[in-house]
Amino acid sequence: MTLDKNFDPAAIEARWYNHWETSGQFRPDRDDAEPFTIVNPPPNVTGSLHIGHALDNTLQDIIIRHERMKGKDALWVVGMDHAGIATQMVVERQMNERGEKRTDYSREDFVEKVWEWKEESGGAITGQLRRLGCSMDWSNERFTMDDGMNEAVLKVFVDLYNDGLIYRDKRLVNWDPALKTAISDLEVETRDVKGGFWHFKYPLADGVTLDNGQDYIEVATTRPETMLADMAVAVHPDDERYKSVIGKKIEQPITGRRFKIVADEHADPELGSGAVKITPGHDFNDFEVGKRAGFAAGDMLNMFDGEANVCQTADGLIPDEYIGLHRFKRDGVDGARELVVQRMKELGFLIPHVTKSKDGETVEHDAEPRTIATPYGDRGGVVIEPWLTDQWYVDAKTLAQPAIEAVKSGAIEIVPKTWEKTYFNWMENIQPWCVSRQLWWGHRIPAWFGPSKEAAINDNQKAIASTLLGEAIFVGSNEDEIRRNAANFYNIDPSEVNFAQEEGETGISGQGNYVLRRDPDVLDTWFSSALWPFATLGWPEETKDLSRHYPNDLLISGFDILFFWDARMAMQGIQFMKDVPWKRLYLHGLVRAEDGSKMSKSKGNVVDPLGLIDQYGADALRFFMAAMESQGRDIKMDDKRVEGYRNFATKLWNAARFCEANGIGASKTLAAPDAVLPVNRWIISEVVETLASLDKALGDLRFDAAANTIYHFTWDRFCDWYLELIKPLLQGDDEAAANETRTVSGWVLDQIIVMLHPFMPFITEELWHSMATETGGREYDLIVAKWPEPKAAVDTQAKAEVDWLIRLISAVRAAKVELNIPPGTKMTAHIRDGDSALQKRIERQSAALDRVGRLESLSFDPAPEGATAQLVIDDATYVLPLAGAIDVDAEKARLNKALEASQKEAKSLNGRLSNPNFVEKAKPEAVEKARADLADKEAEAERLQAALARLG
RNA sequence: GGGCGUAUAGCUCAGUGGUAGAGCACUUCGUUGACAUCGAAGGGGUCGGGAGUUCAACUCUCUCUACGCCCACCA
């Protein structure tokens, strides 16, 4: 095969990917090998590849390819997340565009539609992951709602329930009135919003007054509309202003509701008037105050429906004009907030906020302007309403304890370590996890309730079952009564009650003759993805994969899902597997836009990774991600840099072309070939060192260091020096030298291709197969090739020689530029102070010195009279006679510059060494090194001075 | 209010207790058959300010300033 002149990524990427996948090489059979496991964070089923996925998956692929090449049974589990809210929203939005809505469909039909959508577009991202080159185990692709996951979710729910770790509770939840579902604390984001702070008079009832005679208490609020459900006013127990009225009553002006003034330390005397109105049904603080004041959750007044429109409270005291109003102004229409303020003002209970205008006149405002930290639903985008509902909660506090311990003990290593604090802080302050969602798309909760949910909780008229019992089940034996109850309580058509159910199947006994109806709610998406590290391996079955691949070795995720996903995996994994889900947790940052801002669709600054792949190739994008991934830092997008790595790929391509053209083929051995020539021994040493630092970097999860290591070896060492230095050997008369060089260079190129493969899988696989072999082809593909094992030591002698060679050639080139000598000019050199070892070096390297250094002869004879350039390298001075007119001043300046540099360093070293404190207290090695360096620098300066003297 | 992070060359970023590096950009030179998606040689930084520890600090400690992120019930 002859390599094309130009490297075209698009031409090879799809071909190799298909080949790898169809030949099953993403997970070769290696039952005897040591397992290595990563699970991929399942992307949302409706998602498409964004730049963050490109980072996340590139890092994982680098690790998994590396481990696979090291011979391990490397498994990278892949799958999709059903993404409850997100996916349901997508389908609903599509329906809205067609003028339909979800409720036009039955639940079954709607879910069917979501499945259709999932089938249609759900796989988009998997195709995109393939374009990125990700070597996942597609043969076992999973979905958080496939049969196996469903079974796992069911078991987890039931087991947690039986252990008392899942329970049902009535308390305030974060209610999203747009999506009409409860959401967890994590799904709430606080935004600073401009709002108002209204001050009101709350009149004291029954003729009571404060000690100062005032007949009202001033309260202030940012949410005036909730006063329709106020149930108390709280003051601090020690607040002298109010002590006398504690226990007395307020009569709320609008509702006429009479309620108590209670003492509670929540009220801060320093803030405002020191008195605060209490709405236990619509504020998290007030809920707690209300509980302390003796209100049962069930008695707390609720004034909103699920869409945050005002509804009548249980006591019926909200005036009719408010019923049905939205909580606040929406689409230009005033809501309950505006009306409450207006009425309070009309009634004389609003205390205006007074400011002074520029002319010194006083101006009255209804409210004091304020910035308010307002909770928003991260999906629905509307203000969250704390709402009193029955929901399922996971006792996260109990589950968190061993997960905290696992990190403390080192069973889980978090990389970078700085994230530990964040993890601990969250875990130690964890709140009950609300896992029920009022959605249709997701894992239906396996609970069946009796005639009233309240009764179900109190009287145990509920079933929690791990078998799917259907929508409604009966309890009892009187069929007619059961049918009647079904109709009365649930509006269930009596004919729909399924009497085929076996006695006792529900796990409850009873003669109540009632119907249990299945909980309509579904589970939080993260409830199922928390099981990913073991459920994808077959749990609850005791599979071979499960025993071999759990715990996973590593999890790579963005820090943005540390709480959502990683922490929950830690909790569930330890709870159900009695072991950590993964040994290491690597957290990477965000990929930001070029200006450092967060990418978002609304800002229109998202970068499409597929566009970058089209432009520069997947290998270049991957290498960019790796090279930029330093621990604990976000990555700023930089197209120029991606371009640079495309250039790197081209560079490698051309190096391979050079090899091909010079009869250099694939390596014949895994171990480094034997070599006599210093340049070959040197490059083998460079491979040994590169491999060591590459392995170290990958082991430490330093992707940037790993990428830079292989980059610089390939470009600087191999291309810029080695290939140049061997050109004369390949084309020279010494057949043995040429053969050795061909063998070594073929071996080195192979090592590069292998070491680079995890980063740039496509071009390396292509080159792997392009290099000539004796048998006409490779025995195996690069993806399963063996990671290098040079079995060679670093050859210090060869390193010293080539190092000298490089310095000499570089010095000649630099001198030419400074003295305005055309770079191609052939020079001769006369050596002063050279010894026989140097003479031998020069003999060995004469071809390279001639061809690469343009030094056609080096002699130990004195230089002829006339202008010269002089180079001081190590112990010798190289005197280069200059033909024709030469600018002596330029050469003097050049030498002086070098001299100054030497002297400066010598002076600094001398200063240090003449400080007795340094000599006495510093480490002996440091003193030793300083002495040696000083001697070198002084000798160098002397030679430079001598050279200057010779110039006259 | 807590917690974390970041401030190093024009830009984007590495970095180590012993007087600083990469990529891009910039300057000069270069069409010798791998590569102009290139080569050669360069210029450019008092490593955010201040204090301390140390023989020695860009690197450790404290503090200040600026920016960013996360968590938190301030009515």
Side-chain angles (χ1 to χ4, degrees), chain A residues 69-81:
Chain A
M69 293 175 100
K70 278 162 63 179
K72 292 197 188 160
D73 177 15
L75 168 62
W76 189 10
V77 174
V78 65
M80 308 284 296
D81 194 306

Side-chain angles (χ1 to χ4, degrees), chain A residues 4 62 182 185 347 365 397 485 488 490 541 551 575 667 865:
Chain A
D4 292 340
I62 288 168
D185 298 345
L347 294 168
H365 311 270
K397 200 170 179 58
N485 283 338
N488 288 343
Y490 275 141
E541 305 292 319
Q575 172 70 15
S667 66
E865 288 294 308

Side-chain angles (χ1 to χ4, degrees), chain A residues 806-820:
Chain A
I806 288 171
R807 275 181 294 127
L808 174 57
I809 293 171
S810 298
V812 172
R813 287 170 175 170
K816 280 180 178 170
V817 169
E818 286 186 63
L819 298 172
N820 268 320

Side-chain angles (χ1 to χ4, degrees), chain A residues 122-369:
Chain A
I125 196 171
T126 60
Q128 295 168 331
L129 288 169
R130 286 174 165 95
R131 285 214 54 197
L132 193 61
C134 297
S135 58
M136 297 136 160
D137 180 22
W138 296 108
S139 64
N140 185 35
E141 185 180 345
R142 300 300 302 268
F143 181 49
T144 51
M145 278 173 68
D146 64 23
D147 291 346
M149 285 296 295
N150 289 343
E151 194 189 337
V153 167
L154 215 52
K155 179 169 168 53
V156 165
F157 188 96
V158 172
D159 286 1
L160 287 176
Y161 177 80
N162 289 335
D163 291 340
L165 294 170
I166 278 188
Y167 56 91
R168 201 159 164 81
D169 197 9
K170 182 190 273 297
R171 42 163 43 219
L172 283 185
V173 291
N174 300 298
W175 183 264
D176 188 319
L179 304 171
K180 286 187 271 180
T181 178
I183 59 177
S184 77
D185 298 345
L186 287 176
E187 291 161 291
V188 176
E189 60 179 35
T190 309
R191 298 186 203 163
D192 281 336
V193 174
K194 277 188 185 148
F197 195 44
W198 286 267
H199 297 254
F200 296 106
K201 295 176 182 173
Y202 264 27
L204 291 151
D206 308 319
V208 172
T209 60
L210 300 182
D211 293 348
N212 66 4
Q214 192 175 294
D215 61 354
Y216 65 87
I217 286 184
E218 182 183 339
V219 294
T221 181
T222 58
R223 295 210 57 192
E225 66 279 8
T226 61
M227 72 172 57
L228 299 175
D230 274 356
M231 298 179 77
V233 163
V235 297
H236 195 276
D238 301 333
D239 194 330
E240 295 298 336
R241 292 170 293 182
Y242 302 114
K243 260 191 169 164
S244 66
V245 297
I246 289 170
K248 299 290 191 290
K249 296 235 163 154
I250 292 286
E251 183 167 319
Q252 210 284 335
I254 291 179
T255 56
R257 185 178 299 122
R258 290 165 61 90
F259 46 74
K260 270 194 212 163
I261 296 158
V262 300
D264 195 290
E265 294 191 348
H266 166 66
D268 182 349
E270 305 293 316
L271 274 174
S273 64
V276 54
K277 69 185 212 56
I278 300 298
T279 320
H282 295 290
D283 182 283
F284 287 98
N285 285 315
D286 294 4
F287 180 80
E288 297 302 324
V289 176
K291 280 208 305 200
R292 286 195 290 270
F295 295 111
D299 296 333
M300 292 176 183
L301 294 175
N302 171 41
M303 58 167 280
F304 289 124
D305 65 15
E307 294 175 69
N309 296 317
V310 177
C311 63
Q312 188 53 271
T313 45
D315 60 7
L317 288 174
I318 297 182
D320 287 347
E321 62 174 340
Y322 293 92
I323 306 300
L325 287 182
H326 191 58
R327 53 187 168 173
F328 38 67
K329 195 171 199 162
R330 190 172 61 173
D331 302 330
V333 180
D334 281 352
R337 173 176 298 178
E338 287 72 27
L339 187 57
V340 161
V341 171
Q342 190 192 327
R343 290 286 181 260
M344 287 295 277
K345 194 175 177 181
E346 288 164 4
L347 294 168
F349 293 109
L350 175 77
I351 304 170
H353 176 66
V354 179
T355 58
K356 282 221 160 51
S357 72
K358 278 176 193 158
D359 341 329
E361 291 179 34
T362 56
V363 187
E364 290 193 353
H365 311 270
D366 285 357
E368 180 185 339

